[in-house]
Amino acid sequence: MGFVGMDSVWIISNSITSFLDSFNSSVISSMEGALGIKPYFSEISSSYIDFKAQFKSTFRATYPEEDNSDPGIYALKVYDSIKTVTQGINKMISDDSNAKVFIENILSSNFTGLSGEISFKEGRLSQTPVLRIINVLGKKDRELDFWLPEFGFSKSLEIENDTGENNSRKSLASAVIWPGDLSKRDPKGWAMPTDSNRLKIAVPGRTSFETFVKVNQHEKTLTYDGFCIKLFEEVLNVLDYALPYDFFPVNGTYDELVHSVYNKTYDAIAGDVTILASRSKIVEFTQPYAESGLSMIVPAKSEESAWMFMRPFTWTMKILLYLKQNITNAIFLIFPGERIDSNLTRVVVVVWLFVVLILNSSYTASLSSMLTVQRLKPNVTDIEWLKRNNLKVGCDGDSFVRNYLENVLNFKTENILNVSSEYKYQGEFKNNSITAAFLELPYEKVFITHYCKGYIATTPTYRFGGLGFVFQKGSPLTADFSEAILKLSETGVLKSLEERWFAPSPECLANATNKETESLSLSSFWGLYLISGATSTICSMIFLFRLLRNYKHDRPDASQSNIAPSKRIIWSEVVRLARYTWNREGMQNPAGVITFAGAQDANEWSSSRWEYASPLEITDDLQESSEADIEMQYIPGCS
């Protein structure tokens, strides 16, 4: 059929290898290079040598045209079977001859036959067969190794040699002669692509996130770019053999793309295909090069608040702090100005001061973190809330996510909107077409790095197999690509590609490095200003009310003034009120004092002072006195 060669290897079971001793040499030569298993039997025992001689003589006489007259395993088993029956008959006694006794005699057999040990347990042969690994070469098969079911490959039938060394191994002892033109290289088990038979690789021609795969057409030339394409090229550089290939853009859903590999329209897919159990049944995936999970993206609002200074402590902590403050105040009121002589009291005070220090430091640190670190919170966090309110959500219609939303998360079909491009999600959010968007984790990372302001993503709750390349079932390239992906991950090449293709947008990058993000705005403190302003206003109004009331009560009668009402009098009243306010007249009762010469204390001149007199009145009286008899004395606390 032409299957020998073409990087194909034939592994045959014992149903064929058991007949190799009966095949013609022409048949065996056509099977050259085949690898198989064959039941082991001893060919050096005297009983086998005698049997072989008799068998070949009889066989050649009956079938002179056959060129292979050696007995096979089936001939040996037939011989042992007849011997077992014969021994069972010989054990029977004529007086007690029945079928039951005959069967018991057979099952009690215990001897070494040509095919191996003959003994029974529970009606079956108790011996575990020993297998030989054979390789068809020329006109006969050659033995490569032994296989013991409990130990694996072995150099001999003995598990341990005389020195106690274990003879079991995990690989063959002898080299295999492969079929066809594979004598100088190991087979792949698959027809490898050549320049005349290039690998046909499908590429998603319609993607919602061009960061992963992008197909560009320049006149009649197609170019391919994106993270997946560059990763595919890096994998080819790691492979130790050439892999001729051609890209083919395919429009359609990702499930349709996978089926095009399953029906062998294409050999592989280089793109952002999610590994799913249903897809793994019909195609093979490489090692995932990116993790995957369903993430929900929603518009976000800032956590900044004018009352943020109240957040560092919970209500329980606030109550405890209030109680502690009252107790502390009570202690200091009970013992005002007293020295603390008790050592026990000192210990209590020190511990309390330590607690206050820790609480103050904790409050400061927590509030600093809240004020300086940008915090966003989602306006929607519950999927069930979206479903209860019949709100619309968006997703990539070509991916499996739409079916997942319908069949697993039970969203109504009419509430799921297909969004064909990553650049359309923001518009759908702004015009309220969708309340939330469901994206796989790799796409969510790309979206957030471009739209870091105003959107937030929830932690994926539903995990999937990741993103991987796709090949046909049985393709040897799957294992080679998986190994290459692991090497790229271990050497840091994969991380470099991720940093290049998933880098934040200039705006988000500038926000991350801009020192202005640490600056605080009025929005974070207007609550404090409101409290402070309201308190100051109320206290000022109370103070002004009391001041005016006291001033009206204490000021001299206006009728005593000899000056007619004029602008000077109004100005005098203003000045007097200012002086009254400065000296807090009517509350602290400081006074403006004029001391006459010769007065020894305040009591002697108290009757000779002017209270609340206008500057003009004082000036007129002073002009009538001699400057030598009067001196101005400043008394602290007075003016």
Side-chain angles (χ1 to χ4, degrees):
M1 298 178 67
F3 286 163
V4 176
M6 298 177 61
D7 279 60
S8 298
V9 175
W10 286 93
I11 300 179
I12 54 181
S13 63
N14 63 339
S15 60
I16 297 178
T17 56
S18 297
F19 286 105
L20 288 178
D21 297 314
S22 304
F23 289 161
N24 292 330
S25 58
S26 59
V27 175
I28 296 178
S29 62
S30 67
M31 300 172 61
E32 183 173 359
L35 190 67
I37 57 174
K38 189 176 183 180
Y40 167 78
F41 58 87
S42 177
E43 298 181 12
I44 59 175
S45 63
S46 57
S47 56
Y48 173 78
I49 295 174
D50 294 340
F51 172 79
K52 180 179 179 180
Q54 298 180 46
F55 181 88
K56 295 183 68 172
S57 176
T58 304
F59 187 85
R60 288 174 179 174
T62 307
Y63 305 101
E65 69 279 3
E66 296 288 341
D67 56 0
N68 192 343
S69 57
D70 290 339
I73 185 65
Y74 288 123
L76 304 183
K77 288 185 175 181
V78 169
Y79 182 87
D80 290 339
S81 299
I82 295 175
K83 184 175 181 178
T84 302
V85 172
T86 302
Q87 290 180 353
I89 295 175
N90 294 335
K91 292 179 182 179
M92 296 181 63
I93 303 174
S94 58
D95 296 337
D96 189 16
S97 58
N98 55 58
K100 183 178 180 180
V101 174
F102 176 60
I103 295 297
E104 290 178 352
N105 291 339
I106 291 178
L107 295 180
S108 63
S109 301
N110 187 7
F111 66 95
T112 301
L114 298 178
S115 61
E117 296 294 331
I118 305 298
S119 62
F120 296 89
K121 182 179 181 180
E122 297 179 354
R124 296 177 178 272
L125 285 171
S126 58
Q127 182 188 16
T128 300
V130 177
L131 301 177
R132 294 185 297 169
I133 309 300
I134 60 98
N135 188 200
V136 179
L137 183 63
K139 297 182 179 181
K140 192 174 178 61
D141 61 271
R142 68 187 185 99
E143 185 177 289
L144 299 180
D145 224 335
F146 289 102
W147 170 265
L148 285 71
E150 297 180 358
F151 303 99
F153 296 110
S154 177
K155 299 178 182 178
S156 64
L157 295 178
E158 301 294 333
I159 299 304
E160 292 186 357
N161 55 27
D162 296 338
T163 61
E165 182 183 354
N166 196 329
N167 289 325
S168 62
R169 299 185 315 281
K170 294 183 179 180
S171 59
L172 290 170
S174 304
V176 178
I177 304 300
W178 299 111
D181 58 350
L182 297 174
S183 58
K184 295 183 180 180
R185 58 190 174 93
D186 291 334
K188 296 293 182 183
W190 196 269
M192 298 299 289
T194 60
D195 289 332
S196 59
N197 185 24
R198 302 170 68 86
L199 199 68
K200 295 186 295 183
I201 300 178
V203 174
R206 186 178 64 203
T207 59
S208 58
F209 283 81
E210 296 179 347
T211 304
F212 292 87
V213 176
K214 184 177 181 180
V215 181
N216 300 312
Q217 184 170 3
H218 302 283
E219 297 180 353
K220 295 182 180 181
T221 304
L222 293 177
T223 59
Y224 303 87
D225 200 6
F227 171 75
C228 297
I229 302 300
K230 296 303 178 184
L231 177 59
F232 183 86
E233 294 174 354
E234 291 291 341
V235 169
L236 296 182
N237 294 332
V238 175
L239 298 179
D240 56 358
Y241 53 87
L243 190 69
Y245 69 92
D246 292 315
F247 282 145
F248 296 89
V250 179
N251 293 325
T253 66
Y254 282 81
D255 284 335
E256 293 172 348
L257 204 63
V258 171
H259 274 83
S260 68
V261 175
Y262 169 68
N263 60 28
K264 299 185 178 181
T265 303
Y266 300 101
D267 299 305
I269 300 175
D272 50 336
V273 184
T274 305
I275 302 174
L276 300 176
S278 58
R279 295 173 178 175
S280 298
K281 293 180 180 179
I282 58 177
V283 295
E284 287 191 359
F285 286 92
T286 63
Q287 171 79 17
Y289 55 80
E291 61 177 330
S292 180
L294 191 60
S295 180
M296 182 175 70
I297 296 177
V298 295
K301 55 184 179 181
S302 176
E303 286 188 343
E304 292 184 358
S305 171
W307 311 105
M308 189 171 289
F309 65 90
M310 301 180 64
R311 292 186 181 180
F313 289 146
T314 63
W315 283 108
T316 304
M317 281 294 299
K318 293 173 185 176
I319 294 173
L320 291 176
L321 289 174
Y322 178 76
L323 294 176
K324 185 188 76 63
Q325 183 65 28
N326 286 343
I327 294 173
T328 304
N329 293 339
I331 291 176
F332 284 102
L333 286 174
I334 294 173
F335 306 103
E338 294 290 336
R339 293 179 57 188
I340 301 177
D341 297 326
S342 173
N343 290 331
L344 295 177
T345 305
R346 290 192 182 100
V347 171
V348 173
V349 172
V350 169
V351 171
W352 279 41
L353 290 176
F354 178 75
V355 172
V356 171
L357 175 63
I358 296 300
L359 291 176
N360 288 342
S361 301
S362 301
Y363 177 87
T364 303
S366 180
L367 183 60
S368 300
S369 175
M370 290 181 179
L371 292 174
T372 57
V373 178
Q374 185 183 17
R375 297 173 184 268
L376 298 177
K377 60 180 180 180
N379 58 1
V380 177
T381 58
D382 189 9
I383 293 178
E384 296 300 325
W385 182 81
L386 292 171
K387 293 190 292 185
R388 285 196 305 268
N389 292 276
N390 285 324
L391 298 175
K392 293 186 179 296
V393 297
C395 70
D396 180 9
D398 290 337
S399 70
F400 75 98
V401 175
R402 182 181 180 90
N403 292 332
Y404 192 87
L405 293 177
E406 292 182 12
N407 303 327
V408 179
L409 299 183
N410 299 318
F411 276 92
K412 295 180 181 179
T413 303
E414 60 271 17
N415 290 337
I416 303 176
L417 179 68
N418 290 341
V419 183
S420 59
S421 173
E422 61 178 301
Y423 307 106
K424 294 183 178 180
Y425 281 98
Q426 190 178 27
E428 300 293 348
F429 275 118
K430 288 185 176 180
N431 59 26
N432 295 323
S433 297
I434 60 175
T435 306
F438 286 89
L439 298 175
E440 291 185 71
L441 185 58
Y443 311 129
E444 172 255 303
K445 291 181 178 179
V446 173
F447 184 87
I448 293 299
T449 54
H450 284 79
Y451 305 99
C452 56
K453 289 186 175 181
Y455 297 95
I456 194 170
T458 60
T459 302
T461 305
Y462 310 95
R463 295 284 181 176
F464 307 111
L467 303 183
F469 297 126
V470 182
F471 290 92
Q472 294 179 8
K473 276 289 187 181
S475 174
L477 298 176
T478 307
D480 292 346
F481 266 65
S482 295
E483 183 180 352
I485 291 173
L486 290 176
K487 289 181 179 179
L488 293 175
S489 178
E490 294 169 0
T491 56
V493 176
L494 183 57
K495 183 179 180 181
S496 299
L497 287 175
E498 292 175 350
E499 292 175 351
R500 172 188 172 189
W501 288 96
F502 304 144
S505 63
E507 180 183 4
C508 295
L509 188 61
N511 290 336
T513 58
N514 194 350
K515 294 182 179 180
E516 293 182 358
T517 57
E518 299 179 0
S519 301
L520 301 177
S521 63
L522 180 62
S523 61
S524 301
F525 300 102
W526 71 264
L528 287 174
Y529 281 107
L530 178 62
I531 295 175
S532 177
T535 303
S536 301
T537 301
I538 294 173
C539 293
S540 299
M541 292 178 66
I542 294 174
F543 171 78
L544 184 60
F545 173 77
R546 290 179 177 178
L547 180 67
L548 293 176
R549 183 186 63 183
N550 295 338
Y551 176 73
K552 184 177 180 181
H553 178 268
D554 296 335
R555 73 186 177 93
D557 190 358
S559 62
Q560 297 178 0
S561 176
N562 296 325
I563 303 177
S566 64
K567 292 183 178 180
R568 297 178 64 182
I569 294 178
I570 295 175
W571 174 249
S572 176
E573 290 293 323
V574 172
V575 172
R576 183 180 301 170
L577 178 60
R579 289 179 59 195
Y580 184 85
T581 303
W582 176 260
N583 295 312
R584 302 190 183 275
E585 297 284 352
M587 290 180 290
Q588 299 176 357
N589 199 30
V593 179
I594 298 177
T595 304
F596 289 87
Q600 298 299 319
D601 53 36
N603 293 328
E604 296 182 11
W605 52 258
S606 60
S607 60
S608 303
R609 67 178 184 177
W610 295 269
E611 295 183 356
Y612 320 116
S614 68
L616 293 176
E617 294 172 330
I618 298 174
T619 304
D620 292 340
D621 292 340
L622 291 176
Q623 287 176 352
E624 298 176 359
S625 302
S626 173
E627 295 181 1
D629 297 331
I630 303 174
E631 66 174 347
M632 303 297 294
Q633 179 181 356
Y634 172 75
I635 300 176
C638 306
S639 61

